[in-house]
Amino acid sequence: MTTLNIDHVSRWFGNVVAVNDITMTIGPGVTGLLGPNGAGKSTLINMMGGFLAPSTGTVTLDGQAVWRNEQIYKHIGIVPEREAMYDFLTGREFVVANAELHGLGAKAAQRALATVEMEYAQDRKISTYSKGMRQRVKMASALVHDPSLLLLDEPFNGMDPRQRMQLMDLLRRMGAEGRTVLFSSHILEEVEQLAAHIEVVVAGRHAASGDFRRIRRLMTDRPHRYLVRSSDDRALAAALIADPSTSGIEVDLAEGALRIQAVDFGRFTALLPRVARDHGIRLLTVSPSDESLESVFSYLVAA
Amino acid sequence: MYDPTVARLTYRALLGRRRALILGALPLLLIVIAVAVRGLVGADDQTAADVLGGLALATMVPIIGVIAGTGAIGPEIDDGSVIYLLAKPLKRPTIIFTKLIVAIGVTMAFSAVPTFIAGLILNGNGQQVAVAYTVAALVASIAYAALFLLLGTVSRHAVVFGLVYALVWEALFGSLVAGARTLSVQQWALAVGHKVTDGDLVTSDVSLPTATVLLIVVTVLATWFAGQKLRTLTPTGDE
């Protein structure tokens, strides 16, 4: 049982606060660290991996400090986001080197290569590998010493769907074996498919934590904003506001459009075309104005 | 203190195709020049000392030192692959010390060996000139490797800074400005070389004890500091 404790951790670079007073506990199983790009996920993972000192707060693995403690790497496997990995070596040479650095031998390396199903290409130079193959060899290098904590920074970036599925299967297996697996991602669907537990980080702050269904509900239940243009904006506005699925409508004269805030997403999307047809109004534009991930996340922060 | 796996990775990175070409080109040039000078001037001790002092020790050794010293760690820090060394239960000073040994070995092999060969070609080691400059090159290799390894650890532009130091400070100021000579690896190495020869063909502005102390202090301090830097190094991400 390995538990990673992040206790009131902040990190700033000059005047910029990258991670702001985050406290979380990562236990066995697969945990997804979700957040938009630039939210501070990599900074947080760097601190979890002992590559960056927290400005304040502590990161401990089963009570042991992670920062400035080389011996902690006996228990941690790291899959970095960056691609670079001694491209002049073959996959096997690379994993063997990683095993040796842990004081292990070729046998451990072979076992790790088998786990990620890379034996078939192990004697090819890494420079000839595809993105997915590189990712798997990185995984093998992280698994070679059988670590109890696995940290992966954006492991699915740039992978094709098949590679993604294979890696997800592998991570699920690792989690089921009782390892503590933490991976970061900015894509909700990825996290949802893989992690039972989600930690959401937005703008350096810990926005939400818990079961993915709860977070998914928070995300779909949030007020949605739409920009609508029609043949008769005022008549449409009057008809829509009568329904409880709509909480506010603004007539934007400059844009010549309605800005609608809907509280019940499902009901509103069914209501709008029906109301328009019933009143003989032509819909010219219907566009969601806050579907960006950032706005979804910032809603979560407020929630 | 020494890790054979780190050494193997460093050797293979250093002696990869492109870098090996650059490392090999300079010694080759020195030997070609030595052959040409011998053909034109004949065996002359003073000429041999001029070529070995001006070309081999003042220019080639520091440049090879820059390539080997910064190349032993700089590229790994730049592209982030150093994380595979850092994420291991391995003392950071061990990583630095191992890389230093490799950088010293490569610098010696590509600078001291060709210096000796060039010396033999130029005057057949008359007055021990070849041996003296070879010893100086060996000594300088150690200090340069340590200095430039540190530079590779602290700066992303290590090669540029290293070349500026090697060419401007060592080759230009070291030859022209008297004060700068006291703080020049080249002069320290020459002091050691001077001890080996009988005559006045190899001379230094620095006394042997001063030179020895400075060489040791610079090498040890640079290595220690590089180890400390590595302890707090954050591999860069794409974010």
Side-chain angles (χ1 to χ4, degrees):
Chain A
M1 288 288 277
T2 297
T3 308
L4 185 67
N5 261 307
I6 292 105
D7 186 20
H8 293 289
V9 164
S10 297
R11 172 72 206 199
W12 47 85
F13 300 95
N15 284 333
V16 181
V17 179
V19 168
N20 191 350
D21 195 27
I22 288 185
T23 296
M24 56 173 79
T25 303
I26 316 288
V30 182
T31 299
L33 182 65
L34 179 67
N37 284 328
K41 298 190 299 293
S42 287
T43 305
L44 197 55
I45 287 202
N46 268 333
M47 289 193 284
M48 290 174 179
F51 297 117
L52 188 64
S55 301
T56 61
T58 54
V59 180
T60 51
L61 182 66
D62 289 338
Q64 279 185 285
V66 167
W67 174 242
R68 283 201 161 209
N69 180 7
E70 288 107 2
Q71 293 308 312
I72 205 81
Y73 295 113
K74 285 180 178 162
H75 312 289
I76 306 182
I78 286 168
V79 181
E81 183 184 6
R82 299 258 323 233
E83 287 280 292
M85 49 190 290
Y86 301 94
D87 284 15
F88 50 86
L89 299 177
T90 66
R92 195 217 306 253
E93 287 169 340
F94 177 72
V95 180
V96 167
N98 275 279
E100 287 175 359
L101 290 170
H102 276 290
L104 303 165
K107 223 168 127 186
Q110 212 51 55
R111 184 178 45 78
L113 280 161
T115 306
V116 299
E117 294 166 34
M118 271 300 286
E119 287 160 305
Y120 75 100
Q122 64 185 11
D123 291 319
R124 269 170 54 190
K125 283 251 162 68
I126 291 175
S127 54
T128 67
Y129 282 1
S130 71
K131 172 96 194 182
M133 293 162 89
R134 279 173 176 271
Q135 205 64 21
R136 268 147 70 191
V137 168
K138 273 154 79 174
M139 273 292 281
S141 79
L143 289 173
V144 81
H145 57 304
D146 201 18
S148 51
L149 170 68
L150 202 55
L151 295 174
L152 307 98
D153 197 359
E154 295 279 356
F156 302 105
N157 258 3
M159 288 183 114
D160 69 37
R162 201 176 53 97
Q163 296 167 340
R164 198 173 296 223
M165 239 169 58
Q166 280 176 337
L167 184 59
M168 281 189 181
D169 281 344
L170 184 59
L171 292 182
R172 257 185 225 116
R173 228 160 59 219
M174 299 284 142
E177 284 170 9
R179 280 178 230 265
T180 301
V181 180
L182 178 116
F183 72 100
S184 70
S185 171
H186 60 278
I187 297 162
L188 177 65
E189 283 70 24
E190 270 174 16
V191 178
E192 189 177 321
Q193 280 175 48
L194 184 57
H197 191 88
I198 301 183
E199 303 288 347
V200 184
V201 175
V202 184
R205 288 193 293 155
H206 194 193
S209 168
D211 179 78
F212 82 77
R213 284 179 210 86
R214 194 180 76 81
I215 289 170
R216 181 58 150 166
R217 210 175 313 120
L218 272 173
M219 288 187 170
T220 39
D221 286 356
R222 77 190 200 285
H224 286 59
R225 286 169 208 284
Y226 292 90
L227 182 98
V228 176
R229 289 193 182 88
S230 69
S231 55
D232 188 346
D233 284 348
R234 283 179 188 278
L236 183 65
L240 286 173
I241 200 69
D243 191 273
S245 67
T246 309
S247 65
I249 299 181
E250 180 197 343
V251 183
D252 189 333
L253 292 173
E255 279 281 312
L258 295 176
R259 294 189 181 279
I260 303 171
Q261 181 161 320
V263 279
D264 186 336
F265 170 71
R267 186 169 160 148
F268 175 79
T269 47
L271 174 78
L272 179 64
R274 201 175 62 239
V275 165
R277 191 193 56 211
D278 292 351
H279 290 76
I281 299 168
R282 261 180 87 91
L283 292 174
L284 306 172
T285 307
V286 178
S287 76
S289 54
D290 62 351
E291 282 302 292
S292 73
L293 197 65
E294 278 69 18
S295 69
V296 175
F297 282 124
S298 48
Y299 169 73
L300 273 182
V301 180
Chain B
M1 278 308 274
Y2 178 85
D3 187 282
T5 308
V6 174
R8 198 174 70 232
L9 290 172
T10 309
Y11 270 120
R12 290 198 56 177
L14 263 182
L15 302 179
R17 235 172 285 156
R18 223 177 45 197
R19 211 170 265 113
L21 271 178
I22 305 172
L23 280 172
L26 279 172
L28 197 68
L29 185 69
L30 176 72
I31 287 169
V32 168
I33 289 173
V35 169
V37 169
R38 174 71 192 251
L40 293 171
V41 187
D44 178 63
D45 294 346
Q46 186 58 51
T47 312
D50 289 347
V51 172
L52 293 183
L55 200 64
L57 191 66
T59 313
M60 188 186 75
V61 182
I63 292 179
I64 300 280
V66 169
I67 298 169
T70 61
I73 196 159
E76 274 168 287
I77 294 180
D78 264 0
D79 70 15
S81 56
V82 73
I83 195 167
Y84 294 102
L85 299 184
L86 298 183
K88 299 290 183 295
L90 200 64
K91 289 213 173 344
R92 305 286 159 92
T94 302
I95 299 175
I96 287 294
F97 183 74
T98 305
K99 285 185 174 285
L100 174 68
I101 298 294
V102 173
I104 290 173
V106 170
T107 310
M108 283 180 171
F110 284 89
S111 69
V113 174
T115 299
F116 185 65
I117 296 172
L120 286 183
I121 294 170
L122 282 162
N123 74 340
N125 194 26
Q127 289 198 54
Q128 294 253 32
V129 168
V131 171
Y133 276 104
T134 303
V135 169
L138 288 172
V139 170
S141 294
I142 299 175
Y144 282 134
L147 269 179
F148 296 130
L149 185 70
L150 169 63
L151 199 57
T153 312
V154 296
S155 171
R156 283 187 155 232
H157 310 289
V159 175
V160 178
F161 288 136
L163 285 178
V164 168
Y165 170 83
L167 297 177
V168 177
W169 185 264
E170 291 282 357
L172 198 65
F173 283 95
S175 313
L176 300 176
V177 187
R181 288 183 205 168
T182 320
L183 291 177
S184 149
V185 173
Q186 182 195 336
Q187 292 297 326
W188 305 341
L190 277 172
V192 180
H194 173 69
K195 183 91 181 116
V196 179
T197 43
D198 315 323
D200 290 330
L201 282 170
V202 183
T203 55
S204 170
D205 291 358
V206 188
S207 70
L208 184 62
T210 314
T212 313
V213 169
L214 285 172
L215 278 167
I216 293 173
V217 166
V218 161
T219 306
V220 170
L221 268 186
T223 309
W224 175 81
F225 192 56
Q228 290 306 305
K229 268 319 275 184
L230 204 61
R231 287 198 78 182
T232 54
L233 183 90
T234 305
T236 46
D238 291 335
E239 200 176 309

